[in-house]
Amino acid sequence: MHICILGAGIVGLATAWELQAQGHAVTVVDQAAPGSGTSSGNGAQLSYSYVAPLADGSIWGQLPKLMFAPDSPLKLRPQLDPRQWRWGLGFMAACNEPAAARTTRTLLALAADSRTGFEAMRAALQPDCDFAEAGKLVLYRGAAGLAAAGRQVALQAALGGAPQRLVTPDEAIALEPALASQHGQFAGAVYTASECVADCLKVCQALAAALQAHGVRFVQAPVLGFERDPHGGAGARVHAVRTGAGVLEAEAFVLALGAASARFGRALGVYLPVYPLKGYSITLPVHDAPGAAPVVSVTDTARKTVFARIGQRLRVAGMAELVGEDLRIPPARIATLQAATRAVFPQAAVEGADPQPWAGLRPATPSGLPLVGRLGRAPANVLFNVGHGALGFTLAFGTARHVARLLAADTAPAPAA
């Protein structure tokens, strides 16, 4: 089968990898180079085991700060955008403990499948991507947050998640000595020894090179629209996609265009509850001195900031803003990340180095669950792989494997009568 994948970020490339392995002819279309969009500067964490969704019951008590505090790391700024309001109402409806538990269950299963897929790819390609399985610490500044984290750990353990444990501040600093300056400033942490990091852009570049070597065609051009059977009615199959490089025909299509997917969903007759959560990152060279820069990946929940060691660099990423498709980088946001780095790891970064400021749009659903497979009244030969939010790198191979299984079922021979 000839399959056209729209999107060359980590999700689209992982999907291409799984499909070409099944023997399909694959074309990948994107207006940008592989991995150069939201995948290029993300938080670098492969968070397979601690998947607490953003939408949970604690959000209600945080609303005043989220709406009005100028220094809030999670900003909800209402705009005259019906899509934002619709998404926001769906998000608040998902902010309850039963919904969060259901989301956790699904995300853990997807993440486990994704780890299997990523490891298979890594064994096959051995990409130079600064991969490390150094573990992760999630810091909680207050007792209430730590208690809630303990409940999340218990829930994930009951669902068969990887071993995790709550640790005291002293234990956290023993695990990651670069946290010594934080002694007395946090209540405890969740530690997961099996969590990983990697440079997502390098993974994307290695995938693109390998896919091209396997005969996958890449078309760097904007996606403009679809051509459908004019006599097929509302659910007519798509037979081609219009691009800036011409019309490309295929037998099936996978939409993996991240935050831009919503508008293409409308063209296909389906509402995709996907809205961009804008995030920022900086990437800093680090000192070699023992205990200066972290080796263990660290998430500071109070600052909504992650610190991930990728080779001799420290990726610092965070914040979530509902501001539409605005990729401008306000200097104040980069200054906030730099200040967080100095506060948490004062000896880590080389002073005066270029912070390599970056902003990206995480394609998020209200619940935190990606939309994978066929949807609603959309054409049956169009599959969706969108809405991964902050877990795009983590879940990419899991959702790609799901799409591949669906298409494998389509092409399986019918059982003998």
Side-chain angles (χ1 to χ4, degrees):
M1 182 185 293
H2 181 201
I3 302 167
C4 184
I5 297 171
L6 310 179
I10 185 60
V11 173
L13 293 170
T15 306
W17 174 260
E18 296 293 336
L19 292 176
Q20 65 83 28
Q22 289 186 348
H24 297 290
V26 177
T27 298
V28 179
V29 184
D30 199 310
Q31 67 180 354
S36 62
T38 299
S39 299
S40 64
N42 63 19
Q45 292 183 338
L46 290 161
S47 187
Y48 296 121
S49 302
Y50 196 65
V51 293
L54 182 62
D56 67 45
S58 69
I59 289 291
W60 291 98
Q62 302 175 45
L63 270 183
K65 178 179 180 180
L66 299 181
M67 293 292 288
F68 303 114
D71 61 344
S72 171
L74 178 59
K75 289 190 175 182
L76 308 178
R77 295 294 183 259
Q79 298 178 333
L80 295 175
D81 181 355
R83 292 190 308 124
Q84 186 197 55
W85 283 86
R86 185 173 182 178
W87 189 94
L89 290 171
F91 175 76
M92 297 312 300
C95 289
N96 60 80
E97 296 309 318
R102 291 192 298 271
T103 298
T104 296
R105 180 189 300 273
T106 303
L107 290 178
L108 277 176
L110 269 177
D113 199 15
S114 198
R115 182 193 285 268
T116 300
F118 184 87
E119 289 302 322
M121 177 278 297
R122 201 165 67 88
L125 292 189
Q126 299 185 355
D128 177 13
C129 63
D130 300 312
F131 175 85
E133 187 175 337
K136 181 170 76 170
L137 285 162
V138 182
L139 308 185
Y140 290 87
R141 299 287 170 178
L146 186 63
R151 293 191 291 271
Q152 181 73 12
V153 167
L155 170 64
Q156 295 186 170
L159 296 173
Q164 299 174 310
R165 58 191 174 97
L166 294 184
V167 296
T168 66
D170 285 342
E171 290 172 321
I173 292 168
L175 289 163
E176 180 43 76
L179 284 169
S181 69
Q182 297 298 289
H183 196 279
Q185 297 187 41
F186 64 102
V190 174
Y191 177 60
T192 312
S194 60
E195 298 288 57
C196 310
V197 297
D199 186 321
C200 187
L201 176 58
K202 289 185 177 182
V203 172
C204 289
Q205 292 169 337
L207 277 170
L211 289 166
Q212 287 180 307
H214 283 87
V216 172
R217 180 187 179 194
F218 281 78
V219 176
Q220 189 169 335
V223 176
L224 304 177
F226 303 94
E227 293 192 356
R228 301 166 69 169
D229 179 355
H231 306 296
R237 293 172 69 86
V238 171
H239 65 82
V241 59
R242 296 190 305 276
T243 79
V247 175
L248 302 174
E249 295 185 352
E251 296 166 85
F253 299 82
V254 180
L255 185 63
L257 283 167
S261 297
R263 69 175 181 271
F264 291 105
R266 291 194 295 274
L268 294 166
V270 63
Y271 168 66
L272 300 180
V274 175
Y275 197 82
L277 288 182
K278 184 179 182 181
Y280 303 87
S281 77
I282 57 176
T283 306
L284 303 164
V286 296
H287 289 292
D288 289 332
V295 174
V296 175
S297 182
V298 173
T299 297
D300 186 336
T301 57
R303 292 182 170 90
K304 295 287 191 296
T305 301
V306 304
F307 303 87
R309 177 75 170 267
I310 43 178
Q312 289 303 108
R313 298 166 295 149
L314 184 65
R315 175 67 51 77
V316 184
M319 307 177 200
E321 299 178 347
L322 272 80
V323 293
E325 297 184 10
D326 177 6
L327 278 170
R328 291 176 295 179
I329 304 177
R333 300 308 257 169
I334 300 306
T336 297
L337 292 176
Q338 292 174 307
T341 306
R342 289 192 296 270
V344 180
F345 299 111
Q347 306 300 319
V350 175
E351 200 67 34
D354 176 11
Q356 300 179 43
W358 175 91
L361 302 175
R362 311 179 191 100
T365 64
S367 68
L369 288 176
L371 306 171
V372 188
R374 296 180 176 87
L375 297 177
R377 295 159 51 190
N381 68 328
V382 177
L383 287 83
F384 298 83
N385 197 358
V386 300
H388 297 64
L391 293 173
F393 193 17
T394 296
L395 301 179
F397 280 86
T399 58
R401 284 158 67 91
H402 185 73
V403 168
R405 291 184 194 113
L406 290 173
L407 286 168
D410 289 347
T411 56

